[in-house]
Amino acid sequence: MTVKFDNDGFAVESGFIQVYVIDEQGIFSHAEEQFISAGCGLSANSVLTEPKPAKQGFAVQYVAGKWQYVEDHRGETVYSTTDKTALTITELGEIPENYTALAPICENCEWNGEGWQVSAEKQAELKAKKLQQFITAIDNKAASIYSIWTRFESEYRERKDAALAFQAANYQGEVSRYITDFAQKANLDNKTATDIIFQQATGLEKLQVELANQRMRKYELKRDGLSLEAMQAIHDDIIQQMNNLAEAYQNG
């Protein structure tokens, strides 16, 4: 049945009636049927006027006796266009001034009024910084490997000189202990031990030359027009080649 109300908003008779429930902000919650006793009015959070239909991105709000749409971004994350900090919206209304729903593309981007971008000046600054990081990493890698190879540099040099001298003497005459001690421990004759010492010394020299060549490839990073991705690829290849040289030494 339909309940009638007097001019003061009180029910003339008792009965059930369809009402529309709103929250404390006037936002439509749901429709329900309520029982109204004669002489009573509607509950404070109920209205009789049917609300506007639901609309994506908006809440339906009852204000001053009328339904209206109000932007609803509650629960959404927006970002400051000045410092990129995130904010979760908890109130109805438009996105706050100096905030955007677009997430920053990187930590170095800036807001240009329409979107996030990395300025040309910032890109140049980042590229110069990355270049120095790559060069330092390459030099440090080479130094680390070289320090291992040259721990016993004076010993290597004397062993090589002894091997060259014995070879020059056609493997005859006095033999350095560098040769005889190695021959004895490896169960080799002096000639074979001499040849192995010389081969090892020559092999190490070749590795050192190649390590130096790889380290100097850092200048490839300074070529004009390289993107950060291309610089990264060059750096990674240099480091990998150095690792290969270190492994070759370890297995040699």
Side-chain angles (χ1 to χ4, degrees):
M1 63 180 288
T2 301
V3 177
K4 295 181 179 180
F5 294 85
D6 61 24
N7 293 334
D8 294 323
F10 296 107
V12 175
E13 55 192 350
S14 299
F16 287 94
I17 191 171
Q18 176 89 357
V19 298
Y20 303 95
V21 181
I22 58 177
D23 64 15
E24 65 279 0
Q25 292 182 287
I27 304 302
F28 173 63
S29 172
H30 62 280
E32 66 181 25
E33 194 173 67
Q34 292 182 357
F35 180 80
I36 308 296
S37 298
C40 296
L42 295 175
S43 60
N45 64 336
S46 300
V47 298
L48 293 175
T49 307
E50 184 177 357
K52 292 176 177 288
K55 185 177 180 181
Q56 182 68 33
F58 291 82
V60 180
Q61 186 180 38
Y62 193 73
V63 178
K66 295 181 179 180
W67 290 104
Q68 65 180 18
Y69 289 117
V70 58
E71 287 190 37
D72 187 6
H73 300 283
R74 291 175 297 175
E76 297 180 10
T77 300
V78 293
Y79 304 88
S80 169
T81 55
T82 56
D83 60 14
K84 297 186 284 294
T85 54
L87 170 70
T88 300
I89 295 180
T90 58
E91 300 292 336
L92 289 170
E94 298 178 354
I95 292 176
E97 187 177 0
N98 297 324
Y99 279 85
T100 175
L102 298 175
I105 56 177
C106 67
E107 63 178 351
N108 297 297
C109 63
E110 298 173 345
W111 183 254
N112 65 7
E114 297 181 352
W116 297 102
Q117 68 172 16
V118 180
S119 67
E121 294 80 5
K122 193 65 176 180
Q123 290 183 44
E125 176 187 336
L126 293 172
K127 187 174 181 180
K129 183 178 180 180
K130 199 66 176 178
L131 171 63
Q132 190 55 53
Q133 289 176 347
F134 284 149
I135 289 176
T136 299
I138 291 169
D139 284 344
N140 288 344
K141 183 68 174 181
S144 175
I145 295 173
Y146 192 76
S147 67
I148 296 174
W149 290 357
T150 58
R151 280 182 303 175
F152 309 107
E153 185 174 13
S154 60
E155 176 189 329
Y156 294 158
R157 190 182 303 111
E158 291 177 9
R159 288 177 61 192
K160 178 186 176 183
D161 290 344
L164 286 172
F166 194 50
Q167 281 183 331
N170 200 26
Y171 306 101
Q172 301 293 323
E174 183 178 355
V175 186
S176 167
R177 280 195 59 186
Y178 282 115
I179 297 174
T180 57
D181 288 354
F182 172 55
Q184 182 180 4
K185 290 179 174 58
N187 195 27
L188 301 170
D189 59 76
N190 288 337
K191 180 179 182 301
T192 302
T194 298
D195 292 340
I196 291 176
I197 289 173
F198 184 71
Q199 290 171 3
Q200 289 175 337
T202 302
L204 178 57
E205 289 174 353
K206 290 180 179 179
L207 288 174
Q208 289 175 325
V209 169
E210 185 55 34
L211 179 63
N213 289 337
Q214 290 299 325
R215 188 177 74 84
M216 296 308 291
R217 283 184 60 200
K218 64 187 179 183
Y219 289 99
E220 294 177 21
L221 297 167
K222 295 186 177 183
R223 291 187 308 214
D224 292 337
L226 285 180
S227 64
L228 285 176
E229 292 76 13
M231 292 170 63
Q232 182 74 56
I234 292 172
H235 163 271
D236 292 349
D237 183 63
I238 293 172
I239 296 298
Q240 182 58 56
Q241 295 304 320
M242 288 183 172
N243 285 333
N244 293 342
L245 293 172
E247 184 177 354
Y249 172 82
Q250 191 68 28
N251 296 334

